Coordinates of all heavy atoms in Angstrom, one line a residue:
M269 N -13.5 -0.7 6.2 CA -13.1 -0.2 4.8 C -11.9 -1.0 4.4 O -11.0 -1.3 5.1 CB -12.8 1.3 5.0 CG -12.2 1.8 3.6 SD -11.3 3.3 3.7 CE -12.4 4.5 4.2
R270 N -11.9 -1.2 3.1 CA -10.8 -1.9 2.5 C -10.0 -0.9 1.5 O -10.6 0.0 1.0 CB -11.2 -3.0 1.6 CG -11.7 -4.2 2.4 CD -12.0 -5.4 1.6 NE -12.4 -6.5 2.5 CZ -12.6 -7.8 2.0 NH1 -12.4 -8.0 0.7 NH2 -12.9 -8.7 2.8
G271 N -8.7 -1.1 1.4 CA -7.9 -0.2 0.5 C -7.1 -1.1 -0.4 O -6.7 -2.2 -0.1
V272 N -6.5 -0.4 -1.4 CA -5.6 -1.1 -2.3 C -4.3 -0.2 -2.3 O -4.4 1.0 -2.5 CB -6.1 -1.0 -3.8 CG1 -5.1 -1.6 -4.7 CG2 -7.4 -1.8 -3.9
V273 N -3.2 -0.9 -1.8 CA -1.9 -0.3 -1.7 C -1.1 -0.7 -2.9 O -1.0 -1.9 -3.2 CB -1.2 -0.7 -0.4 CG1 0.2 -0.2 -0.3 CG2 -2.1 -0.4 0.8
T274 N -0.4 0.3 -3.5 CA 0.5 -0.1 -4.6 C 1.9 0.5 -4.2 O 2.0 1.5 -3.7 CB 0.0 0.5 -6.0 OG1 -0.2 1.9 -5.8 CG2 -1.3 -0.1 -6.4
V275 N 2.8 -0.3 -4.6 CA 4.2 0.0 -4.4 C 5.0 -0.2 -5.6 O 4.9 -1.3 -6.2 CB 4.9 -0.9 -3.2 CG1 6.3 -0.4 -2.9 CG2 4.0 -0.8 -2.0
I276 N 5.7 0.9 -6.1 CA 6.5 0.8 -7.3 C 7.8 1.5 -7.1 O 7.9 2.6 -6.6 CB 5.8 1.4 -8.5 CG1 4.5 0.8 -8.7 CG2 6.6 1.4 -9.8 CD1 3.5 1.5 -9.7
G277 N 8.9 0.8 -7.6 CA 10.3 1.5 -7.5 C 11.3 0.5 -7.9 O 11.1 -0.7 -8.1
K278 N 12.5 1.0 -7.8 CA 13.7 0.2 -8.0 C 13.8 -0.9 -7.0 O 13.6 -0.6 -5.8 CB 15.0 1.0 -7.9 CG 15.3 1.8 -9.1 CD 16.0 0.9 -10.2 CE 16.8 1.8 -11.0 NZ 17.5 1.0 -12.1
D279 N 14.0 -2.1 -7.3 CA 14.1 -3.2 -6.4 C 15.3 -3.1 -5.4 O 16.3 -2.7 -5.8 CB 14.2 -4.6 -7.2 CG 14.1 -5.7 -6.3 OD1 13.3 -5.6 -5.2 OD2 14.7 -6.8 -6.5
K280 N 15.0 -3.4 -4.2 CA 16.1 -3.4 -3.2 C 15.6 -4.2 -2.0 O 14.4 -4.4 -1.8 CB 16.6 -2.1 -2.8 CG 15.6 -1.2 -2.0 CD 16.2 0.1 -1.7 CE 15.4 0.8 -0.7 NZ 16.0 2.1 -0.3
V281 N 16.5 -4.6 -1.1 CA 16.1 -5.4 0.1 C 15.3 -4.5 1.0 O 15.6 -3.3 1.2 CB 17.4 -5.9 0.8 CG1 17.1 -6.5 2.1 CG2 18.2 -6.9 -0.1
G282 N 14.3 -5.1 1.6 CA 13.5 -4.5 2.7 C 12.2 -3.8 2.3 O 11.5 -3.3 3.2
I283 N 11.8 -3.8 1.1 CA 10.6 -3.1 0.7 C 9.4 -3.8 1.3 O 8.5 -3.2 1.9 CB 10.4 -3.0 -0.9 CG1 11.6 -2.1 -1.4 CG2 9.1 -2.4 -1.2 CD1 11.7 -2.2 -3.0
V284 N 9.3 -5.1 1.1 CA 8.1 -5.9 1.6 C 8.1 -5.8 3.1 O 7.1 -5.5 3.7 CB 8.2 -7.3 1.0 CG1 7.1 -8.1 1.7 CG2 8.1 -7.4 -0.4
A285 N 9.3 -6.0 3.7 CA 9.3 -5.9 5.2 C 8.9 -4.6 5.7 O 8.2 -4.5 6.7 CB 10.8 -6.2 5.6
G286 N 9.4 -3.6 5.1 CA 9.1 -2.2 5.5 C 7.6 -1.8 5.4 O 7.0 -1.3 6.3
V287 N 7.0 -2.2 4.3 CA 5.6 -1.9 4.1 C 4.7 -2.7 5.0 O 3.8 -2.3 5.7 CB 5.1 -2.1 2.6 CG1 3.6 -1.9 2.4 CG2 5.9 -1.1 1.7
S288 N 5.0 -4.0 5.1 CA 4.3 -4.9 6.0 C 4.4 -4.5 7.5 O 3.3 -4.5 8.1 CB 4.8 -6.4 5.9 OG 4.6 -6.8 4.6
Q289 N 5.6 -4.0 7.9 CA 5.8 -3.6 9.2 C 4.9 -2.4 9.5 O 4.3 -2.3 10.6 CB 7.2 -3.4 9.5 CG 7.5 -2.9 11.0 CD 9.0 -2.6 11.3 OE1 9.8 -3.1 10.5 NE2 9.2 -2.0 12.4
K290 N 5.0 -1.4 8.6 CA 4.2 -0.2 8.8 C 2.7 -0.5 8.9 O 2.0 0.1 9.8 CB 4.5 0.8 7.7 CG 3.7 2.1 7.8 CD 4.1 2.9 9.0 CE 5.5 3.5 9.0 NZ 5.8 4.3 10.1
L291 N 2.2 -1.4 8.1 CA 0.8 -1.7 8.1 C 0.4 -2.4 9.4 O -0.6 -2.1 10.1 CB 0.4 -2.6 6.9 CG 0.5 -1.9 5.5 CD1 0.3 -3.0 4.5 CD2 -0.5 -0.8 5.4
A292 N 1.3 -3.3 9.9 CA 1.1 -4.0 11.1 C 1.1 -3.0 12.3 O 0.2 -3.1 13.2 CB 2.2 -5.1 11.4
E293 N 2.0 -2.1 12.3 CA 2.0 -1.0 13.4 C 0.7 -0.3 13.4 O 0.3 0.2 14.5 CB 3.2 0.0 13.1 CG 4.5 -0.6 13.4 CD 5.6 0.3 12.9 OE1 5.3 1.4 12.3 OE2 6.8 -0.1 13.0
Q294 N 0.1 0.0 12.3 CA -1.2 0.7 12.2 C -2.4 -0.3 12.4 O -3.5 0.2 12.3 CB -1.3 1.4 10.9 CG -0.3 2.5 10.7 CD -0.5 3.6 11.7 OE1 -1.6 4.1 12.0 NE2 0.6 4.1 12.2
K295 N -2.2 -1.5 12.7 CA -3.3 -2.5 12.9 C -4.1 -2.7 11.6 O -5.3 -2.8 11.7 CB -4.1 -2.2 14.1 CG -3.3 -2.2 15.4 CD -4.2 -2.3 16.5 CE -3.5 -2.3 17.9 NZ -2.1 -2.4 18.0
I296 N -3.4 -2.6 10.4 CA -4.0 -2.8 9.2 C -3.7 -4.2 8.7 O -2.5 -4.6 8.6 CB -3.5 -1.7 8.1 CG1 -3.9 -0.4 8.6 CG2 -4.0 -2.1 6.8 CD1 -3.3 0.7 7.8
N297 N -4.7 -5.0 8.4 CA -4.5 -6.4 8.0 C -4.4 -6.5 6.5 O -5.1 -5.9 5.7 CB -5.8 -7.2 8.5 CG -5.5 -8.7 8.3 OD1 -4.4 -9.2 8.4 ND2 -6.6 -9.4 7.9
I298 N -3.4 -7.3 6.0 CA -3.1 -7.6 4.6 C -4.0 -8.8 4.2 O -3.9 -9.8 4.8 CB -1.7 -7.9 4.4 CG1 -0.8 -6.7 4.7 CG2 -1.5 -8.3 2.9 CD1 0.7 -7.0 4.7
L299 N -5.0 -8.5 3.3 CA -5.9 -9.6 2.9 C -5.3 -10.4 1.7 O -5.6 -11.6 1.6 CB -7.3 -9.0 2.6 CG -7.9 -8.2 3.7 CD1 -9.2 -7.5 3.2 CD2 -8.2 -9.1 4.9
D300 N -4.7 -9.7 0.8 CA -4.2 -10.3 -0.4 C -3.0 -9.5 -0.9 O -2.9 -8.3 -0.6 CB -5.2 -10.4 -1.4 CG -5.0 -11.5 -2.5 OD1 -3.9 -12.1 -2.5 OD2 -5.8 -11.5 -3.5
V301 N -2.1 -10.2 -1.5 CA -0.9 -9.5 -2.0 C -0.3 -10.1 -3.3 O -0.4 -11.3 -3.4 CB 0.3 -9.5 -1.0 CG1 0.8 -10.8 -0.5 CG2 1.5 -8.6 -1.4
S302 N 0.1 -9.3 -4.2 CA 0.7 -9.7 -5.4 C 2.0 -8.9 -5.7 O 1.9 -7.7 -5.5 CB -0.2 -9.6 -6.6 OG 0.4 -9.9 -7.8
Q303 N 3.0 -9.5 -6.0 CA 4.3 -8.8 -6.2 C 5.1 -9.4 -7.4 O 4.9 -10.6 -7.6 CB 5.1 -8.6 -5.0 CG 5.7 -10.0 -4.6 CD 6.5 -9.9 -3.3 OE1 6.0 -9.2 -2.4 NE2 7.7 -10.5 -3.2
T304 N 5.9 -8.6 -8.0 CA 6.7 -9.0 -9.1 C 7.9 -8.2 -9.3 O 7.8 -7.0 -8.9 CB 5.8 -9.2 -10.4 OG1 6.6 -9.9 -11.4 CG2 5.5 -7.8 -11.0
I305 N 8.9 -8.7 -9.9 CA 10.1 -7.9 -10.3 C 10.0 -7.9 -11.8 O 10.0 -8.9 -12.5 CB 11.4 -8.6 -9.8 CG1 11.3 -8.9 -8.3 CG2 12.6 -7.8 -10.2 CD1 11.4 -7.7 -7.4
M306 N 10.1 -6.7 -12.3 CA 10.1 -6.5 -13.8 C 11.5 -5.8 -14.1 O 11.6 -4.6 -13.9 CB 9.0 -5.7 -14.3 CG 7.7 -6.4 -14.0 SD 6.1 -5.5 -14.7 CE 6.5 -3.8 -14.7
G307 N 12.5 -6.6 -14.5 CA 13.8 -6.0 -14.8 C 14.3 -5.6 -13.4 O 14.5 -6.4 -12.5
D308 N 14.7 -4.4 -13.2 CA 15.2 -3.8 -12.0 C 14.1 -3.2 -11.1 O 14.4 -2.7 -10.0 CB 16.2 -2.7 -12.2 CG 17.5 -3.3 -12.9 OD1 17.8 -4.5 -12.7 OD2 18.2 -2.5 -13.6
Y309 N 12.8 -3.3 -11.6 CA 11.7 -2.7 -10.9 C 10.9 -3.6 -10.1 O 10.6 -4.7 -10.5 CB 10.9 -1.9 -11.8 CG 11.7 -0.7 -12.4 CD1 12.4 -0.8 -13.6 CD2 11.8 0.5 -11.7 CE1 13.2 0.2 -14.1 CE2 12.5 1.6 -12.2 CZ 13.2 1.4 -13.4 OH 13.9 2.5 -13.9
F310 N 10.5 -3.2 -8.9 CA 9.7 -3.9 -8.0 C 8.3 -3.4 -8.0 O 8.1 -2.1 -8.0 CB 10.2 -3.8 -6.6 CG 9.3 -4.4 -5.5 CD1 9.4 -5.8 -5.2 CD2 8.4 -3.6 -4.8 CE1 8.6 -6.3 -4.2 CE2 7.6 -4.2 -3.8 CZ 7.7 -5.5 -3.6
T311 N 7.3 -4.2 -8.1 CA 5.9 -3.8 -8.1 C 5.1 -4.7 -7.1 O 5.4 -5.9 -7.1 CB 5.2 -3.8 -9.5 OG1 5.1 -5.1 -9.9 CG2 5.9 -2.9 -10.5
M312 N 4.2 -4.1 -6.3 CA 3.5 -4.8 -5.4 C 2.1 -4.2 -5.2 O 1.9 -2.9 -5.2 CB 4.1 -4.8 -4.0 CG 3.3 -5.6 -3.0 SD 4.3 -6.0 -1.4 CE 4.6 -4.3 -0.9
M313 N 1.1 -5.0 -5.2 CA -0.2 -4.6 -4.9 C -0.8 -5.3 -3.7 O -0.7 -6.6 -3.7 CB -1.1 -4.8 -6.2 CG -2.5 -4.3 -6.1 SD -3.4 -4.5 -7.6 CE -3.5 -2.9 -8.2
M314 N -1.5 -4.7 -2.8 CA -2.0 -5.3 -1.6 C -3.4 -4.9 -1.5 O -3.8 -3.6 -1.6 CB -1.2 -4.9 -0.4 CG 0.2 -5.3 -0.3 SD 0.9 -4.6 1.2 CE 2.1 -5.8 1.6
L315 N -4.3 -5.8 -1.1 CA -5.6 -5.5 -0.6 C -5.6 -5.5 0.9 O -5.2 -6.5 1.5 CB -6.7 -6.5 -1.1 CG -8.1 -6.4 -0.7 CD1 -8.7 -5.0 -1.2 CD2 -8.9 -7.5 -1.2
V316 N -6.0 -4.4 1.6 CA -5.9 -4.3 3.0 C -7.2 -4.0 3.6 O -8.0 -3.4 3.0 CB -4.7 -3.3 3.4 CG1 -3.4 -3.7 2.9 CG2 -5.1 -1.9 2.9
D317 N -7.4 -4.4 4.9 CA -8.5 -4.1 5.7 C -8.1 -3.0 6.7 O -7.3 -3.2 7.6 CB -9.0 -5.3 6.4 CG -10.3 -5.1 7.2 OD1 -10.7 -4.0 7.3 OD2 -10.8 -6.1 7.8
L318 N -8.7 -1.8 6.6 CA -8.5 -0.7 7.5 C -9.5 -0.5 8.6 O -9.4 0.4 9.4 CB -8.5 0.6 6.6 CG -7.4 0.7 5.6 CD1 -7.9 0.7 4.3 CD2 -6.5 1.9 5.9
T319 N -10.3 -1.6 8.9 CA -11.3 -1.6 9.9 C -10.7 -1.2 11.2 O -11.3 -0.4 12.0 CB -12.1 -2.9 10.0 OG1 -12.6 -3.2 8.7 CG2 -13.2 -2.8 11.0
N320 N -9.6 -1.7 11.6 CA -9.0 -1.5 12.9 C -7.9 -0.5 12.9 O -7.1 -0.4 13.9 CB -8.6 -2.8 13.6 CG -9.8 -3.7 13.8 OD1 -10.8 -3.3 14.2 ND2 -9.5 -5.0 13.4
A321 N -7.7 0.2 11.8 CA -6.6 1.1 11.8 C -6.5 2.1 12.8 O -7.6 2.6 13.3 CB -6.6 1.8 10.4
E322 N -5.3 2.5 13.3 CA -5.2 3.4 14.4 C -5.3 4.9 13.9 O -5.5 5.7 14.7 CB -3.8 3.3 15.1 CG -3.8 1.9 15.8 CD -2.6 1.8 16.7 OE1 -1.7 2.5 16.6 OE2 -2.7 0.9 17.6
Q323 N -5.3 5.1 12.6 CA -5.5 6.4 12.1 C -6.6 6.5 11.1 O -6.9 5.4 10.6 CB -4.1 6.9 11.4 CG -3.0 7.1 12.3 CD -1.8 7.8 11.7 OE1 -1.8 8.1 10.5 NE2 -0.8 8.1 12.4
D324 N -7.0 7.6 10.7 CA -8.0 7.7 9.6 C -7.3 7.5 8.3 O -6.1 7.4 8.2 CB -8.8 9.1 9.7 CG -7.9 10.3 9.4 OD1 -6.7 10.1 9.0 OD2 -8.3 11.4 9.6
F325 N -8.1 7.4 7.2 CA -7.5 7.1 5.9 C -6.5 8.1 5.5 O -5.3 7.6 4.9 CB -8.7 7.1 4.9 CG -8.3 6.5 3.5 CD1 -8.2 5.1 3.3 CD2 -7.9 7.3 2.5 CE1 -7.8 4.6 2.1 CE2 -7.4 6.8 1.3 CZ -7.4 5.5 1.1
E326 N -6.6 9.3 5.7 CA -5.7 10.3 5.3 C -4.4 10.2 6.1 O -3.2 10.4 5.5 CB -6.2 11.7 5.4 CG -7.2 12.1 4.3 CD -6.7 11.8 2.9 OE1 -5.5 12.2 2.6 OE2 -7.4 11.2 2.1
G327 N -4.5 9.8 7.4 CA -3.3 9.7 8.2 C -2.5 8.4 7.7 O -1.3 8.5 7.6
V328 N -3.2 7.3 7.3 CA -2.5 6.2 6.8 C -1.8 6.5 5.5 O -0.7 6.2 5.2 CB -3.6 5.0 6.6 CG1 -2.9 3.9 5.8 CG2 -4.1 4.5 7.9
R329 N -2.5 7.3 4.6 CA -2.0 7.7 3.3 C -0.7 8.4 3.5 O 0.4 8.2 2.8 CB -2.9 8.5 2.6 CG -2.4 9.0 1.2 CD -3.3 10.0 0.4 NE -4.7 9.7 0.5 CZ -5.3 9.2 -0.5 NH1 -4.7 8.7 -1.6 NH2 -6.7 9.0 -0.5
E330 N -0.7 9.4 4.4 CA 0.5 10.2 4.7 C 1.7 9.4 5.3 O 2.8 9.5 4.9 CB 0.2 11.4 5.8 CG 1.4 12.2 6.0 CD 2.0 12.9 4.8 OE1 1.2 13.3 3.9 OE2 3.2 13.2 4.8
Q331 N 1.4 8.4 6.2 CA 2.4 7.5 6.7 C 3.0 6.7 5.6 O 4.3 6.5 5.6 CB 1.8 6.6 7.8 CG 1.4 7.3 9.1 CD 2.3 6.9 10.2 OE1 2.9 5.9 10.3 NE2 2.4 7.9 11.2
L332 N 2.2 6.2 4.7 CA 2.8 5.4 3.6 C 3.6 6.2 2.6 O 4.6 5.8 2.1 CB 1.6 4.6 2.9 CG 0.9 3.5 3.7 CD1 -0.3 2.9 2.9 CD2 1.9 2.4 4.1
H333 N 3.1 7.5 2.4 CA 3.9 8.4 1.5 C 5.3 8.6 2.1 O 6.3 8.6 1.4 CB 3.1 9.6 1.4 CG 3.8 10.7 0.6 ND1 3.9 10.5 -0.8 CD2 4.4 11.7 0.9 CE1 4.6 11.5 -1.3 NE2 4.9 12.3 -0.3
E334 N 5.3 8.9 3.4 CA 6.6 9.1 4.1 C 7.5 7.9 4.1 O 8.7 7.9 3.8 CB 6.4 9.6 5.5 CG 5.8 11.0 5.6 CD 6.6 12.0 4.9 OE1 7.9 12.0 5.1 OE2 6.1 12.9 4.2
L335 N 6.8 6.7 4.3 CA 7.6 5.4 4.2 C 8.2 5.2 2.8 O 9.4 4.8 2.6 CB 6.7 4.3 4.6 CG 7.4 2.9 4.5 CD1 8.5 2.7 5.4 CD2 6.3 1.8 4.7
G336 N 7.4 5.5 1.8 CA 7.9 5.5 0.4 C 9.1 6.3 0.2 O 10.1 5.9 -0.5
K337 N 9.2 7.5 0.7 CA 10.3 8.4 0.6 C 11.5 7.7 1.3 O 12.6 7.7 0.7 CB 10.1 9.7 1.3 CG 9.2 10.6 0.5 CD 9.1 11.9 1.3 CE 8.1 12.9 0.8 NZ 8.0 14.1 1.6
D338 N 11.3 7.1 2.5 CA 12.4 6.4 3.2 C 12.9 5.2 2.5 O 14.2 5.0 2.4 CB 12.0 6.0 4.6 CG 11.7 7.2 5.5 OD1 12.1 8.3 5.2 OD2 11.0 6.9 6.5
L339 N 12.0 4.5 1.8 CA 12.4 3.3 1.1 C 12.9 3.5 -0.4 O 13.3 2.6 -1.1 CB 11.2 2.3 1.1 CG 10.9 1.7 2.4 CD1 9.6 0.8 2.3 CD2 12.0 0.9 3.0
G340 N 12.6 4.7 -0.9 CA 13.0 5.1 -2.3 C 12.0 4.5 -3.3 O 12.4 4.2 -4.4
V341 N 10.8 4.3 -2.9 CA 9.7 3.8 -3.8 C 8.5 4.8 -3.7 O 8.4 5.6 -2.8 CB 9.3 2.4 -3.4 CG1 10.5 1.4 -3.6 CG2 8.7 2.3 -2.0
K342 N 7.5 4.6 -4.6 CA 6.3 5.3 -4.5 C 5.2 4.4 -3.9 O 5.0 3.3 -4.4 CB 5.8 5.7 -5.9 CG 4.5 6.6 -5.8 CD 4.1 7.1 -7.2 CE 2.8 7.8 -7.0 NZ 2.1 8.1 -8.2
I343 N 4.6 4.8 -2.8 CA 3.5 4.0 -2.2 C 2.3 4.8 -2.3 O 2.2 5.9 -1.8 CB 3.9 3.6 -0.7 CG1 5.2 2.9 -0.6 CG2 2.7 2.8 -0.1 CD1 5.7 2.6 0.8
S344 N 1.2 4.2 -2.8 CA -0.1 4.8 -2.9 C -1.2 3.9 -2.2 O -1.0 2.7 -2.2 CB -0.5 5.0 -4.3 OG 0.4 5.8 -5.0
I345 N -2.2 4.5 -1.7 CA -3.4 3.8 -1.2 C -4.7 4.5 -1.7 O -4.8 5.7 -1.7 CB -3.4 3.6 0.3 CG1 -4.5 2.7 0.9 CG2 -3.4 5.0 1.0 CD1 -4.4 2.3 2.3
Q346 N -5.6 3.6 -2.1 CA -6.9 4.1 -2.5 C -8.0 3.3 -1.8 O -7.8 2.1 -1.5 CB -7.1 3.9 -4.0 CG -6.2 4.8 -4.9 CD -6.5 4.5 -6.3 OE1 -6.2 3.5 -6.8 NE2 -7.0 5.6 -7.1
N347 N -9.1 3.9 -1.6 CA -10.3 3.1 -1.2 C -10.6 2.1 -2.2 O -10.6 2.4 -3.4 CB -11.4 4.1 -0.9 CG -12.7 3.5 -0.4 OD1 -13.2 2.5 -1.0 ND2 -13.2 4.1 0.6
Q348 N -10.9 0.9 -1.8 CA -11.1 -0.2 -2.7 C -12.4 0.2 -3.6 O -12.3 -0.2 -4.8 CB -11.4 -1.5 -2.0 CG -11.6 -2.6 -2.9 CD -12.1 -3.9 -2.3 OE1 -12.5 -4.0 -1.2 NE2 -12.1 -5.0 -3.1
E349 N -13.4 0.7 -3.1 CA -14.6 1.0 -3.9 C -14.3 2.0 -5.0 O -14.7 1.8 -6.1 CB -15.7 1.6 -3.0 CG -16.2 0.6 -2.0 CD -17.3 1.2 -1.1 OE1 -17.6 2.4 -1.3 OE2 -17.8 0.5 -0.2
I350 N -13.5 3.0 -4.7 CA -13.0 4.0 -5.7 C -12.2 3.3 -6.7 O -12.3 3.5 -7.9 CB -12.4 5.2 -5.0 CG1 -13.4 6.0 -4.2 CG2 -11.8 6.1 -6.2 CD1 -12.8 7.0 -3.3
F351 N -11.2 2.5 -6.2 CA -10.3 1.8 -7.1 C -11.2 0.8 -8.1 O -10.9 0.9 -9.3 CB -9.3 0.9 -6.3 CG -8.3 0.2 -7.1 CD1 -7.1 0.8 -7.5 CD2 -8.6 -1.1 -7.6 CE1 -6.2 0.1 -8.3 CE2 -7.6 -1.8 -8.3 CZ -6.4 -1.2 -8.7
D352 N -12.1 0.1 -7.5 CA -12.9 -0.8 -8.3 C -13.7 0.0 -9.4 O -13.8 -0.4 -10.6 CB -13.8 -1.6 -7.5 CG -13.2 -2.7 -6.7 OD1 -12.0 -3.0 -7.0 OD2 -13.8 -3.2 -5.8
T353 N -14.3 1.1 -9.0 CA -15.0 2.0 -9.9 C -14.2 2.5 -11.1 O -14.5 2.5 -12.2 CB -15.8 3.1 -9.2 OG1 -16.6 2.6 -8.2 CG2 -16.5 4.0 -10.1
M354 N -12.9 2.9 -10.7 CA -12.0 3.5 -11.7 C -11.5 2.5 -12.7 O -11.3 2.8 -13.9 CB -10.8 4.1 -11.0 CG -11.2 5.4 -10.3 SD -9.7 6.1 -9.3 CE -8.4 6.1 -10.6
H355 N -11.5 1.2 -12.3 CA -10.9 0.2 -13.2 C -11.9 -0.8 -13.7 O -11.6 -1.8 -14.3 CB -9.9 -0.6 -12.4 CG -8.7 0.3 -12.1 ND1 -8.7 1.1 -10.9 CD2 -7.5 0.7 -12.7 CE1 -7.5 1.8 -10.9 NE2 -6.9 1.5 -12.0
K356 N -13.2 -0.4 -13.8 CA -14.2 -1.3 -14.4 C -14.2 -1.1 -15.9 O -13.9 0.0 -16.4 CB -15.6 -0.8 -14.0 CG -16.1 -1.4 -12.6 CD -17.5 -1.1 -12.4 CE -17.9 -1.8 -11.0 NZ -19.2 -1.4 -10.6
L357 N -14.4 -2.1 -16.6 CA -14.4 -2.1 -18.1 C -15.7 -2.0 -18.6 O -16.7 -2.5 -18.1 CB -13.7 -3.3 -18.6 CG -12.2 -3.4 -18.3 CD1 -11.6 -4.7 -18.8 CD2 -11.4 -2.2 -18.9

């Protein structure tokens, strides 16, 4: 299964490292990443492969939510199929 991870919040040191480390700990592979700084705000979107994840999808979602609290950003993950369906034109 693939997922789309989004990260949004005030820019500060350690966001990319923190998210990447948490994904690596869970054996989640980052397939693609896009990030930008808009003024004082950091935004990042990642396409990830959850095939070998150590937790189920809800467990991963909760871990990322807690990490977001620690980093002071909002981190969300959606199933790629659902994300694609929601964003079709």
Side-chain angles (χ1 to χ4, degrees):
M269 170 201 296
R270 289 184 175 188
V272 176
V273 176
T274 55
V275 182
I276 301 171
K278 282 279 209 176
D279 187 32
K280 67 179 192 175
V281 173
I283 298 172
V284 174
V287 174
S288 298
Q289 181 178 347
K290 181 60 72 177
L291 294 173
E293 288 170 1
Q294 294 295 319
K295 300 199 180 349
I296 297 170
N297 190 34
I298 299 169
L299 302 173
D300 199 359
V301 62
S302 173
Q303 68 183 45
T304 190
I305 307 292
M306 297 184 333
D308 293 336
Y309 292 93
F310 173 84
T311 62
M312 178 168 64
M313 182 177 251
M314 297 175 148
L315 178 62
V316 297
D317 181 356
L318 293 114
T319 304
N320 298 316
E322 293 191 340
Q323 293 189 357
D324 65 11
F325 190 81
E326 288 305 315
V328 171
R329 182 190 312 265
E330 182 59 32
Q331 290 251 333
L332 291 175
H333 178 74
E334 290 301 316
L335 176 63
K337 287 182 188 177
D338 293 343
L339 294 174
V341 296
K342 181 178 181 193
I343 304 176
S344 302
I345 185 169
Q346 293 180 297
N347 181 307
Q348 182 191 11
E349 291 177 7
I350 293 170
F351 183 87
D352 289 344
T353 300
M354 288 175 50
H355 294 90
K356 278 187 180 176
L357 295 176

